[in-house]
Amino acid sequence: MSKFWSPLVRDLVPYVPGEQPKMANLVKLNTNENPYGPSPRVIEAIQAELGDSLRLYPDPEGDQLKQSIAGFYGISPRQVFLGNGSDEVLAHIFQALFQHGEPLLFPDISYSFYPVYCGLYGIEPRIIPLNDQFDIDPEDYRPPNGGVIFPNPNAPTGRLLSLADVERIVAVNPERVVVVDEAYVDFGGESAIALIDRYPNLLVSQTLSKARSLAGLRVGFAVGHVDLIEALQRVKDSFNSYPLDRLALAGARAAFDDRDYFEQTRQSVIAERERLTCGLKQLGFEVLPSAANFVFACHPDRAGSDLARGLREQGIIVRHFNKPRISAFLRITIGTPEQSNALLAALPALLGNR
Amino acid sequence: MSKFWSPLVRDLVPYVPGEQPKMANLVKLNTNENPYGPSPRVIEAIQAELGDSLRLYPDPEGDQLKQSIAGFYGISPRQVFLGNGSDEVLAHIFQALFQHGEPLLFPDISYSFYPVYCGLYGIEPRIIPLNDQFDIDPEDYRPPNGGVIFPNPNAPTGRLLSLADVERIVAVNPERVVVVDEAYVDFGGESAIALIDRYPNLLVSQTLSKARSLAGLRVGFAVGHVDLIEALQRVKDSFNSYPLDRLALAGARAAFDDRDYFEQTRQSVIAERERLTCGLKQLGFEVLPSAANFVFACHPDRAGSDLARGLREQGIIVRHFNKPRISAFLRITIGTPEQSNALLAALPALLGNR
């Protein structure tokens, strides 16, 4: 550690994103990207913005994009906060709404960026184990806390909590903010955005990286009561006035405006998830029922790390977490039918039952 | 204030960026944007990246862009840190390198985001007045401190500190990081990047928003010793794995690769600055010698606020800061010759000496 570092830096344990390999021709099923590209209208919208106007700053508030998102969900633009990917949105949430000197509650098996944000902002985590079926039990989220956060569907399990159960967690914590991280909700969940007008302590975050096929553009947002949005806005305006560039604002807006493409591609992913789940089960895998664009699967006869390594040698990349309770599992992104077929064809040899 | 806010949020005094008006046909000389659009090679590079690959995450490290920047300055890519605009870079610098429990030194007349970052990260500011000529005196930067930061050329004054004077400040603070914020250096300054191999406590930040004509793309960077870069990297990887999108990475790289266009446009801005300075002086203005893409000017007979309002009524927007010592001044961005002519034509009526 350098003497120049703020003391905080020494103790940070940064998040490690899924690998972005620079080789071509991989079957890349490791970072939950959409196998389908963005809507053609996204490309056209970016194209229209691409030119001399790049010399000018973007709209610091992103008003037009807020309107598109608000229109999609039937809410007010004042209930929308924008960020440079939902990770930035989450970071601002931790700083703006979770620093109360009491522990933040989140599941033990969950998005591994949450404990990192706790480290960055000096928030004590209180880890709540999922139950034996890898589900969130709403009853577990009653202890005194400085806030609650969980993904729904959860990652990396893919398990969905019903909207009624989400509401139970929100309702028993009226003095604290409950954040539902809905990165994957469009692949089978019901959004808690439906509840925001009834619960001033509910904040929902989403991303355009998954169901909107725009991981490469970095756009995320949060939706909730205007008081919560104002807190995020104050932190954002104290951090970076212009987090979204002109091209990202234009592309994201078009993604929300093209409902047909969104509907069609997410249904394709859902259908392929069910087909891949069947295929994996036929090979003897246990596959958790998933509402996301990935499945979480393990095999009784082979270690997850061995399978991940074996697939990699065949140019197929999936994600393996060397962590308690889940080290037997692989998290496999739903790709195209061709990618699923490649995976299903590669596995028998690794399982020794060819 | 909402009970849900972290206590920090209540006390934040967010930065207020220059207005981004939504009316057309303005002579917009208020936010120091480049009057010339980005290089045609930037547009081509973004075009080439625009398509299906937007569904994939960008390179979290931005290695190719780091190589282009390093190549331009003759340094190692390991000495480069990238961010979503230099404001994000500065925010990470404050958190990673200035939290030492001692006051941060910066000039009284300077980039007004510095005190905002102090508020966000709990750093005590110690404001050092510029001298009577609105210059930084290196002798003033000797008190015990937790770090030093200043823009060079300074904003909004446009005044340049010589590289020898920058080095004096760096040399007398060997135990603390000195950050030189070079947003405007390409319009007449000498970059302190030349000193980084000799001073492990020196960090230089730059942006592509000004001389590279890419305010709308949000790319900034810092250059310094690998230990300082590592601190920033650790904070970045604890905040947002992918701060730069695919299009921004591609465009920024092309901006560094097209040296001819960069040279030609910045020389045009410099030439126009000198012409506008003469024109303003002929109208009786005092104009501080500027090394930036703006001038800071006041008139003995008219208040700055009156002039700004009068210009606005004629569709010309400049920036006025209602702050001690500088309320008489206007900060006027260097535009095209046509924009300067419009400004110079509008002023006599406001000065009452038509």
Side-chain angles (χ1 to χ4, degrees):
Chain A
M1 170 178 167
S2 157
K3 65 183 173 187
F4 300 121
W5 292 10
S6 300
L8 157 95
V9 174
R10 184 195 50 211
D11 298 325
L12 289 178
V13 183
Y15 178 75
V16 179
E19 187 189 6
Q20 296 296 332
K22 284 156 189 170
M23 307 93 87
N25 300 322
L26 287 173
V27 177
K28 186 173 182 303
L29 303 176
N30 69 327
T31 50
N32 298 342
E33 290 138 333
N34 202 306
Y36 305 105
S39 154
R41 285 173 60 182
V42 168
I43 307 298
E44 284 163 28
I46 295 175
Q47 192 82 54
E49 188 69 27
L50 181 56
D52 192 70
S53 66
L54 283 181
R55 71 183 182 83
L56 300 171
Y57 283 98
D59 173 9
E61 301 311 325
D63 282 338
Q64 292 191 314
L65 176 56
K66 284 181 184 170
Q67 282 167 22
S68 289
I69 294 171
F72 189 88
Y73 288 108
I75 57 176
S76 159
R78 295 179 61 235
Q79 293 172 303
V80 181
F81 175 78
L82 302 175
N84 180 35
S86 61
D87 284 344
E88 181 180 84
V89 174
L90 291 172
H92 289 332
I93 288 171
F94 275 65
Q95 191 172 20
L97 300 167
F98 287 159
Q99 289 187 316
H100 295 289
E102 290 178 280
L104 178 71
L105 312 186
F106 55 86
D108 61 339
I109 299 168
S110 177
Y111 187 30
S112 46
F113 222 132
Y114 300 157
V116 177
Y117 293 131
C118 285
L120 191 63
Y121 298 117
I123 296 162
E124 184 195 341
R126 178 162 170 184
I127 310 294
I128 311 288
L130 296 180
N131 69 18
D132 290 344
Q133 289 74 47
F134 283 149
D135 283 327
I136 290 172
D137 183 340
E139 287 303 309
D140 295 338
Y141 290 80
R142 291 178 174 275
N145 63 69
V148 176
I149 186 168
F150 56 90
N152 195 38
N154 197 4
T157 64
R159 300 292 295 130
L160 181 70
L161 198 64
S162 72
L163 195 56
D165 279 344
V166 170
E167 185 169 1
R168 285 169 66 196
I169 296 175
V170 176
V172 299
N173 287 285
E175 298 299 311
R176 291 301 186 210
V177 176
V178 176
V179 176
V180 187
D181 175 355
E182 296 188 345
Y184 300 102
V185 76
D186 294 318
F187 298 109
E190 198 176 353
S191 175
I193 291 177
L195 304 175
I196 61 166
D197 284 336
R198 287 198 283 133
Y199 293 97
N201 64 322
L202 169 62
L203 193 66
V204 178
S205 69
Q206 291 199 6
T207 177
L208 278 74
S209 297
K210 312 297 182 184
R212 309 273 171 185
S213 303
L214 286 173
L217 207 58
R218 318 307 307 123
V219 185
F221 62 97
V223 167
H225 190 282
V226 291
D227 283 352
L228 304 185
I229 301 302
E230 184 185 344
L232 297 175
Q233 198 70 34
R234 290 173 68 90
V235 167
K236 171 258 181 191
D237 286 332
S238 302
F239 179 84
N240 187 0
S241 304
Y242 309 95
L244 274 78
D245 68 57
R246 286 180 165 267
L247 306 180
L249 286 170
R253 198 178 170 207
F256 271 94
D257 291 345
D258 192 349
R259 296 183 186 217
D260 289 346
Y261 187 86
F262 166 69
E263 203 51 50
Q264 172 196 324
T265 48
R266 76 184 181 120
Q267 294 302 344
S268 297
V269 170
I270 291 168
E272 187 56 23
R273 178 182 70 215
E274 301 316 311
R275 196 180 73 91
L276 178 65
T277 299
C278 288
L280 289 169
K281 284 181 174 172
Q282 284 168 5
L283 292 172
F285 278 88
E286 179 195 346
V287 186
L288 298 190
S290 169
N293 70 335
F294 55 83
V295 291
F296 205 49
C298 66
H299 197 281
D301 304 334
R302 288 290 178 277
S305 54
D306 291 347
L307 288 171
R309 192 170 42 246
L311 287 170
R312 194 186 169 85
E313 285 165 5
Q314 299 184 55
I316 299 171
I317 306 192
V318 299
R319 194 141 191 210
H320 174 256
F321 298 89
N322 192 16
K323 290 186 176 175
R325 297 186 73 185
I326 59 170
S327 64
F329 283 81
L330 301 178
R331 194 196 66 187
I332 306 170
T333 302
I334 306 304
T336 60
E338 294 70 29
Q339 290 176 315
S340 298
N341 292 344
L343 175 74
L344 293 170
L347 281 168
L350 300 175
L351 298 170
N353 56 354
R354 171 176 270 173
Chain B
M1 173 180 164
S2 157
K3 66 183 172 186
F4 300 121
W5 292 11
S6 300
L8 157 96
V9 174
R10 185 193 52 213
D11 298 326
L12 289 178
V13 182
Y15 178 74
V16 179
E19 186 191 4
Q20 296 295 333
K22 283 155 190 172
M23 307 94 86
N25 298 320
L26 287 172
V27 177
K28 185 172 182 304
L29 303 176
N30 69 327
T31 50
N32 298 341
E33 290 139 336
N34 202 306
Y36 304 105
S39 153
R41 285 173 61 183
V42 169
I43 307 298
E44 285 164 27
I46 295 176
Q47 192 81 56
E49 188 70 26
L50 181 56
D52 192 71
S53 67
L54 283 181
R55 73 183 181 83
L56 300 171
Y57 283 97
D59 174 9
E61 302 311 326
D63 283 339
Q64 291 191 315
L65 176 55
K66 284 182 183 169
Q67 282 167 21
S68 288
I69 294 172
F72 188 89
Y73 288 110
I75 58 178
S76 159
R78 295 180 60 234
Q79 294 171 303
V80 180
F81 174 78
L82 303 176
N84 179 34
S86 62
D87 284 344
E88 181 180 85
V89 174
L90 291 172
H92 289 332
I93 288 171
F94 274 66
Q95 190 172 20
L97 300 167
F98 287 159
Q99 288 186 316
H100 295 290
E102 289 179 282
L104 178 71
L105 312 186
F106 54 86
D108 61 340
I109 300 168
S110 178
Y111 187 30
S112 45
F113 222 133
Y114 300 157
V116 177
Y117 293 132
C118 285
L120 189 64
Y121 298 116
I123 297 162
E124 182 194 343
R126 178 164 170 182
I127 310 293
I128 311 289
L130 297 179
N131 70 17
D132 291 344
Q133 290 74 50
F134 283 149
D135 283 327
I136 289 171
D137 184 339
E139 286 304 309
D140 295 337
Y141 289 81
R142 291 178 175 276
N145 63 69
V148 176
I149 187 168
F150 56 90
N152 195 36
N154 197 4
T157 64
R159 300 292 296 131
L160 181 72
L161 198 64
S162 71
L163 195 57
D165 279 344
V166 170
E167 184 169 2
R168 285 170 65 197
I169 296 175
V170 176
V172 299
N173 287 285
E175 297 300 311
R176 290 301 185 213
V177 176
V178 176
V179 175
V180 187
D181 175 355
E182 295 188 345
Y184 300 103
V185 74
D186 294 318
F187 299 109
E190 198 175 352
S191 175
I193 290 176
L195 304 175
I196 62 166
D197 284 337
R198 286 197 284 131
Y199 294 97
N201 64 322
L202 169 63
L203 193 65
V204 178
S205 69
Q206 291 199 6
T207 177
L208 277 74
S209 298
K210 310 297 182 184
R212 308 275 172 183
S213 304
L214 286 172
L217 207 60
R218 319 305 308 124
V219 185
F221 62 96
V223 166
H225 190 282
V226 292
D227 284 351
L228 304 186
I229 300 303
E230 185 186 344
L232 297 175
Q233 199 70 35
R234 290 173 68 89
V235 168
K236 172 257 179 192
D237 285 333
S238 303
F239 179 85
N240 187 0
S241 304
Y242 309 94
L244 275 79
D245 68 57
R246 286 181 165 266
L247 306 179
L249 285 169
R253 195 175 174 211
F256 270 94
D257 292 346
D258 192 349
R259 297 184 186 218
D260 289 347
Y261 186 87
F262 167 71
E263 202 52 50
Q264 172 196 324
T265 48
R266 75 183 181 120
Q267 293 302 342
S268 297
V269 170
I270 292 168
E272 187 56 24
R273 178 181 70 215
E274 300 315 311
R275 195 180 74 92
L276 178 65
T277 300
C278 287
L280 290 169
K281 284 182 173 171
Q282 283 168 4
L283 292 172
F285 278 88
E286 181 194 344
V287 186
L288 297 189
S290 169
N293 71 335
F294 55 83
V295 291
F296 205 50
C298 66
H299 197 280
D301 304 334
R302 287 291 178 277
S305 55
D306 291 347
L307 288 172
R309 191 167 46 243
L311 287 170
R312 195 184 169 85
E313 284 165 6
Q314 299 186 54
I316 300 171
I317 304 191
V318 300
R319 193 143 192 209
H320 173 255
F321 298 89
N322 192 17
K323 290 186 176 177
R325 296 186 74 185
I326 59 170
S327 64
F329 283 80
L330 300 177
R331 195 196 66 186
I332 306 169
T333 301
I334 305 304
T336 60
E338 295 69 30
Q339 290 176 313
S340 298
N341 292 344
L343 175 74
L344 293 170
L347 282 168
L350 300 176
L351 298 169
N353 58 353
R354 173 174 265 172

